């Protein structure tokens, strides 16, 4: 009888498949429950970077900056959003820092835009990086910049350079931009031209953005959300998001 009791206790201590097959959303909620008990931590901070094409029908690219600012006000529940939106003639690079809930809403919005067809402000977005539980913010506020660079017709050009190298290049430039912006006080959400004129080398090449948009290893919002909501989701601490057969990063 005593042996039976010991076996029963050991069996109960083992994780069941139901407990193991939890989604990222449930794990995030569990982590929040733990962190809420600590006075020095109020919420998890995440970073999202994605690229996209700009609708050719968008006459004033500043409208896209205003759109995202309105969206942040609509669905952020007391969560501060910081980051940077770079607007090229035909592409965007968007870095966002906020809670998991806010970034989840952003990806949902990108998914909904696809259903709008030609009326969508951005087209064919790809998620480049998601970083989970980052220790600090890179940007002090959210802002955008319409870059004064010549438009380039790149056709179907696809660089043979490794995607990892291009992602590293983009992340390095975004990091340097963030540090450069600390030299300027908070102000207009539209960054002045003079800020980037002093550091033209920090501009991410349009060929690199096109490579990321064409890269099949990077997830679309639909693919990301499918994996995000999946009970078999595999999570890593940091890195870039790979294709649907690979683990997603959160």
């Amino acid at each position: 009888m005593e042996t039976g009791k010991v076996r029963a206790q050991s069996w109960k201590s083992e994780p069941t498949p139901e407990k193991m097959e939890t989604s990222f959303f449930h794990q995030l909620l569990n982590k929040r429950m733990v962190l809420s008990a600590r006075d020095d931590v109020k919420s998890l901070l995440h970073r999202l970077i994605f690229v996209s094409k700009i609708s050719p029908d968008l006459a004033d690219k500043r409208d896209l900056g205003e759109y995202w600012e309105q969206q942040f006000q609509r669905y952020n529940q007391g969560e501060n959003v910081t980051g940077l939106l770079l607007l090229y003639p035909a592409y965007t690079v968007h870095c966002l820092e906020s809670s998991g809930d806010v970034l989840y809403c952003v990806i949902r919005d990108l998914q909904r835009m696809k259903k709008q067809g030609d009326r969508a402000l951005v087209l064919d977005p790809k998620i480049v990086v998601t970083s989970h539980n980052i220790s600090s913010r890179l940007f002090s506020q959210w802002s955008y910049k319409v870059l004064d660079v010549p438009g380039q017709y790149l056709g179907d050009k696809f660089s043979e350079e490794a995607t990892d190298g291009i992602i590293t290049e983009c992340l390095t430039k975004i990091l340097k931009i963030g540090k450069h912006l600390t030299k300027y006080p908070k102000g207009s959400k539209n960054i002045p031209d003079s800020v980037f004129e002093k550091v033209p080398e920090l501009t991410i090449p349009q060929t690199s953005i096109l490579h990321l948009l064409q890269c099949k290893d990077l997830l679309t919002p639909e693919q990301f959300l499918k994996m995000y909501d999946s009970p078999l989701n595999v999570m890593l601490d940091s890195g870039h998001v790979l294709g649907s057969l690979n683990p997603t990063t959160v």
Side-chain angles (χ1 to χ4, degrees):
M1 294 296 294
E2 292 299 324
T3 302
K5 289 182 179 179
V6 171
R7 286 180 178 175
Q9 291 172 356
S10 298
W11 179 82
K12 289 180 180 178
S13 66
E14 293 176 0
T16 64
E18 288 77 15
K19 289 182 180 179
M20 294 177 65
E21 293 180 358
T22 180
S23 68
F24 164 73
F25 178 73
H26 293 136
Q27 292 196 33
L28 180 59
L29 287 180
N30 289 338
K31 288 182 179 180
R32 283 185 174 176
M33 290 173 63
V34 173
L35 292 174
S36 64
R38 297 171 55 180
D39 295 335
D40 58 335
V41 180
K42 294 184 179 180
S43 63
L44 295 178
L45 180 63
H46 304 261
R47 182 177 294 124
L48 166 70
I49 299 177
F50 66 91
V51 294
S52 68
K53 298 177 183 176
I54 295 179
S55 170
D57 297 327
L58 186 63
D60 190 343
K61 294 179 176 56
R62 291 175 296 182
D63 291 343
L64 185 54
E66 294 174 0
Y67 165 82
W68 281 118
E69 187 173 10
Q70 292 173 0
Q71 291 300 98
F72 300 152
Q73 295 173 356
R74 182 175 68 85
Y75 54 58
N76 96 31
Q77 301 175 351
E79 301 285 356
N80 186 27
V81 179
T82 56
L84 176 66
L85 171 61
L86 298 176
L87 296 160
Y88 290 75
Y91 310 116
T92 75
V93 177
H94 204 168
C95 175
L96 290 170
E97 301 166 328
S98 191
S99 69
D101 286 344
V102 170
L103 299 187
Y104 184 81
C105 289
V106 170
I107 297 175
R108 283 290 185 196
D109 276 343
L110 292 173
Q111 181 191 38
R112 281 191 287 267
M113 283 185 185
K114 183 178 181 180
K115 300 178 181 179
Q116 297 175 354
D118 296 337
R119 296 183 293 108
L121 295 177
V122 299
L123 308 170
D124 304 326
K126 286 289 185 74
I127 298 172
V128 180
V129 171
T130 57
S131 299
H132 167 65
N133 198 18
I134 58 178
S135 59
S136 61
R137 295 178 185 268
L138 179 59
F139 299 93
S140 60
Q141 66 176 17
W142 181 86
S143 55
Y144 68 91
K145 177 57 185 170
V146 179
L147 294 171
D148 185 18
V149 295
Q152 294 180 330
Y153 174 73
L154 303 175
D156 296 326
K157 182 178 178 181
F158 186 84
S159 172
E160 295 297 330
E161 186 178 351
T163 299
D164 283 347
I166 291 179
I167 291 177
T168 299
E169 174 196 31
C170 292
L171 293 179
T172 300
K173 289 181 180 291
I174 290 173
L175 175 63
K176 291 181 177 180
I177 291 173
K179 291 182 176 180
H180 179 68
L181 291 178
T182 60
K183 301 176 182 179
Y184 300 86
K186 286 185 179 181
S188 170
K189 296 299 175 79
N190 187 2
I191 300 175
D193 292 337
S194 58
V195 173
F196 277 84
E197 288 174 353
K198 296 179 179 179
V199 285
E201 69 277 6
L202 298 187
T203 302
I204 299 171
Q206 295 178 74
T207 51
S208 296
I209 303 172
L210 179 62
H211 175 100
L212 297 176
L213 288 169
Q214 294 177 337
C215 180
K216 295 181 180 180
D217 285 336
L218 298 181
L219 296 180
T220 65
E222 294 81 9
Q223 291 171 328
F224 180 90
L225 290 171
K226 182 178 180 181
M227 297 184 70
Y228 182 99
D229 295 326
S230 170
L232 297 178
N233 213 12
V234 179
M235 299 187 300
L236 303 176
D237 285 339
S238 62
H240 65 272
V241 179
L242 298 178
S244 57
L245 296 180
N246 297 308
T248 184
T249 301
V250 293

